[in-house]
Amino acid sequence: MKDVDTAAPLIPSRPTLKKLQVVAAGCQACHLWKIGTQTVFGEGKPSSTVMFVGEQPGDKEDLSGHPFVGPAGALLDKALAEAGIDRKSVYVTNVVKHFKWEARGKRRIHKKPNAAEITACRPWLEAEVAVVKPRAIICLGSTAAQAVIGPKFRVSIQRAQFVESSLAPFVTATVHPSSILRAPTDDARHEEMQRFTDDLKKIWRALSLSS
Ligand code: URA
Ligand code: SF4
């Protein structure tokens, strides 16, 4: 069955980000290539110190081919700017590289990737980590945290705390910016945004990337 496959055989033996991006564009290791418009690969400098890992591209990302360019991306940009971090200095990617969605009227509603899809796509993320060798990986939301850190990680309790990982010297998670968009009131949204920004500041201080 196609769903038990992974992207592993596609990874070039001497990968660069450019090579990975080109090959990933033709990935059919799980069925999501048929659902999404295109592969949305990670973006950023190969020398980036910090890698952000989201869940999967959303509607805008699927159409544009770039990660975190929709509403969640705008909040990420805002929080980064408030924390004094230049988005161009970080690498931004997702656990799953195709948009999974279902139709609701004319809208395409995000659907969480399942374990088989995450497993299929994981070699791309591992290859990105191997090339970029980030000092820190920051997972955004529980899907990324569970996939990268492990099933026991609880974002609500452990946000911005570092965990041992073979992937990078510093690995942590915070909320997904789209959870801020879902906050029920303006006040709650404001508060969640402040907490998210504070998490980024705390992580940057721990990495001694800012004073
Ligand atoms: N949400 C994600 O997890 N990733 C994106 O790229 C956009 C929205
Ligand atoms: Fe390949 Fe990942 Fe897309 Fe599945 S989601 S087809 S594994 S790039």
Side-chain angles (χ1 to χ4, degrees), residues 13-197:
S13 54
R14 299 176 70 203
T16 61
L17 290 178
K18 189 76 228 161
K19 272 198 224 173
L20 289 170
Q21 192 181 11
V22 168
V23 185
C27 182
Q28 301 184 349
C30 79
H31 70 118
L32 292 182
W33 72 273
K34 291 183 233 164
I35 297 174
T37 305
Q38 57 191 319
T39 305
V40 179
F41 207 69
E43 285 181 359
K45 294 196 188 94
S47 59
S48 302
T49 306
V50 177
M51 180 180 284
F52 281 94
V53 182
E55 180 185 293
Q56 63 175 346
D59 183 76
K60 291 266 184 349
E61 290 78 15
D62 173 73
L63 296 173
S64 73
H66 302 288
F68 282 102
V69 294
L75 276 197
L76 176 61
D77 287 351
K78 188 160 178 258
L80 286 169
E82 275 173 26
I85 302 158
D86 181 4
R87 162 122 180 211
K88 290 197 287 299
S89 73
V90 300
Y91 190 88
V92 177
T93 191
N94 285 296
V95 167
V96 166
K97 267 68 171 166
H98 269 98
F99 180 36
K100 183 180 182 186
W101 58 277
E102 65 189 5
R104 201 167 300 161
K106 283 193 180 135
R107 290 177 59 207
R108 303 192 299 169
I109 305 295
H110 155 274
K111 251 186 118 183
K112 242 187 209 305
N114 63 32
E117 292 148 2
I118 291 170
T119 301
C121 213
R122 194 181 165 85
W124 294 121
L125 179 63
E126 285 173 358
E128 289 174 292
V129 170
V131 171
V132 176
K133 297 188 186 68
R135 198 147 77 85
I137 297 175
I138 304 171
C139 303
L140 297 174
S142 63
T143 302
Q146 315 239 310
V148 171
I149 298 173
K152 291 209 188 86
F153 195 89
R154 291 287 170 268
V155 171
S156 55
I157 300 166
Q158 292 166 279
R159 58 190 293 172
Q161 292 177 16
F162 293 103
V163 295
E164 287 277 332
S165 170
S166 57
L167 291 171
F170 293 88
V171 174
T172 185
T174 178
V175 295
H176 194 288
S178 61
S179 71
I180 301 167
L181 290 167
R182 289 193 300 268
T185 62
D186 279 353
D187 278 357
R189 204 167 309 125
H190 190 78
E191 193 177 311
E192 285 307 318
M193 187 63 183
Q194 192 59 51
R195 287 187 75 196
F196 182 55
T197 307

